[in-house]
Amino acid sequence: MSKAVEALLPFADRAQKRRADTFGMFVFLASEVMLFGALVATLAAYRALHPGAAGEAAQHLNLGLASANTAILLTSSLAVAIGAIAARHGRARICAGSLGGAIVLGAAFLVIKGVEYRLDFLERLTPRGGVLGEGAATLFLSLYYVATALHGVHVAIGIGLLAWTAIAVGRGRLVMPDRAESVELVGLYWHLVDVIWVFLFPLLYLARP
Amino acid sequence: MGREIGLRVAIWAALLALLALTIVLALAPLGPLRLVAALVIAAAKAGLIGWFYMDLRKADGVTRLASVVGVIFITILILMASLDFALRAGNP
């Protein structure tokens, strides 16, 4: 048995392996959707129990920085999508460059998020004993910090995956277009992190009274 | 390759336009409709990202099914929780 065929086992050919890999990635992404979905369900229950409290807390959040961050993540998704197209066409340098751009944008997202946390802290926007006192509005802040921090961890993991892929593509360890699938799979994860933010943004920042 | 990238750039412009729209609507006096509008726009953005960036338009049926299964289960979770809130005696 040749080495090329052995590398594909148990799949019959590359197309079948690719379908299976993509399907598997989407199953994993579904588990991520359910992780964040549970937080969204908690938020829905919280809003039903304490009408008005979410708005009271949400008006303290920094809408300007969060909007900028949304635009940054959407743009990084474009860069990753272009990277996948370049990979499919065997253009390794364009692919690595696009992924590099997405990494810079992802890092910018985290920096801005850090600045935002600092401003929140300076405004004493804390889940307990801060500017909102001890009422139901502070529960919203707990959800805000848990949801955005969990999302931030996902962005950090995504940056790591993109960096690993970009270096492997740039150095020719992942030969394009044969291994374009590797770029596509990492891209799927990055796009999902973007989609999660697309929902967190209105649920947290736009919940104004 | 140019046409493929052009399509993604057009989608990106649409996503940014939807972002601007959702911010404008959030500051408008729409009352309880505001949350609905924000979620509809978020779903539209997620649809564009899924269909064009995650290439679901070229995926096979079983992959598309896997892509919505998480959403389906979350919908069930929120629906059942809402029923509990609506029907249990003594809840607001």
Side-chain angles (χ1 to χ4, degrees), chain A residues 4-197:
Chain A
V5 172
E6 227 172 283
L8 284 172
L9 285 177
F11 302 105
D13 53 37
R14 197 167 278 282
Q16 189 190 30
K17 177 179 187 306
R18 186 188 153 127
R19 277 202 306 278
D21 287 353
T22 308
F23 172 69
M25 191 65 193
F26 270 103
V27 170
F28 166 67
L29 295 186
S31 77
E32 294 275 33
V33 167
M34 281 153 74
L35 173 66
F36 281 92
L39 280 170
V40 172
T42 310
L43 192 60
Y46 164 76
R47 291 179 72 136
L49 269 177
H50 305 285
E56 190 193 331
Q59 62 186 342
H60 290 277
L61 299 180
N62 197 320
L63 182 58
L65 287 182
S67 304
N69 255 349
T70 310
I72 286 173
L73 265 199
L74 291 173
T75 309
S76 76
S77 257
L78 171 68
V80 168
I82 291 174
I85 293 170
R88 281 195 289 271
H89 284 85
R91 309 287 289 270
R93 284 186 63 176
I94 296 177
C95 173
S98 288
L99 297 184
I103 292 166
V104 171
L105 289 165
F109 175 92
L110 286 182
V111 169
I112 291 176
K113 194 73 212 132
V115 169
E116 202 190 323
Y117 278 150
R118 185 181 142 75
L119 292 174
D120 291 343
F121 180 75
L122 289 177
E123 211 190 320
R124 301 208 334 114
L125 218 54
T126 50
R128 282 211 146 252
V131 69
L132 291 176
E134 307 284 329
T138 58
L139 286 173
F140 181 87
L141 288 181
S142 300
L143 277 168
Y144 158 75
Y145 284 117
V146 169
T148 52
L150 188 62
H151 178 264
V153 169
H154 280 77
V155 172
I157 294 171
I159 289 174
L161 289 172
L162 286 175
W164 180 84
T165 310
I167 291 170
V169 171
R171 287 192 176 161
R173 249 189 301 133
L174 286 174
V175 181
M176 297 299 138
D178 286 359
R179 302 291 302 275
E181 177 192 312
S182 301
V183 177
E184 288 171 350
L185 292 179
V186 171
L188 287 178
Y189 179 81
W190 189 259
H191 294 314
L192 182 89
V193 172
D194 189 9
V195 167
I196 288 168
W197 182 258

Side-chain angles (χ1 to χ4, degrees), chain A residues 19 22-23 26-27 29-31 33-38 40-41 44-49 63 67-68 70-72 74-78 81-82 84-86 88-89 91 94 184 187-189 191-192 194-195 198-199 201-203 206-209, chain B residues 1-2 4-12 15-16 19 22-23 26-27 34-35 38-39 41-47 49-50 52-56 58-60 62-74 77-78 81-82 85 91-92:
Chain A
R19 277 202 306 278
T22 308
F23 172 69
F26 270 103
V27 170
L29 295 186
S31 77
V33 167
M34 281 153 74
L35 173 66
F36 281 92
V40 172
Y46 164 76
R47 291 179 72 136
L49 269 177
L63 182 58
S67 304
T70 310
I72 286 173
L74 291 173
T75 309
S76 76
S77 257
L78 171 68
I82 291 174
I85 293 170
R88 281 195 289 271
H89 284 85
R91 309 287 289 270
I94 296 177
E184 288 171 350
L188 287 178
Y189 179 81
H191 294 314
L192 182 89
D194 189 9
V195 167
V198 157
F199 280 96
F201 172 68
L203 287 172
L206 302 182
R208 311 178 143 234
Chain B
M1 192 164 114
E4 285 174 70
I5 291 177
L7 173 67
R8 286 1 178 250
V9 173
I11 296 299
W12 170 75
L15 287 168
L16 287 191
L19 169 63
T22 195
I23 294 169
L27 303 172
R34 226 162 37 170
L35 180 65
L39 286 177
I41 293 175
K45 278 153 98 182
I49 294 171
F52 293 101
Y53 285 0
M54 297 170 94
D55 279 325
L56 280 171
K58 292 195 175 146
D60 49 8
V62 72
T63 302
R64 286 180 189 168
L65 186 66
S67 74
V68 294
V69 75
V71 180
I72 291 171
F73 277 103
I74 287 307
L77 174 69
I78 294 179
S82 309
F85 271 98
N91 266 340

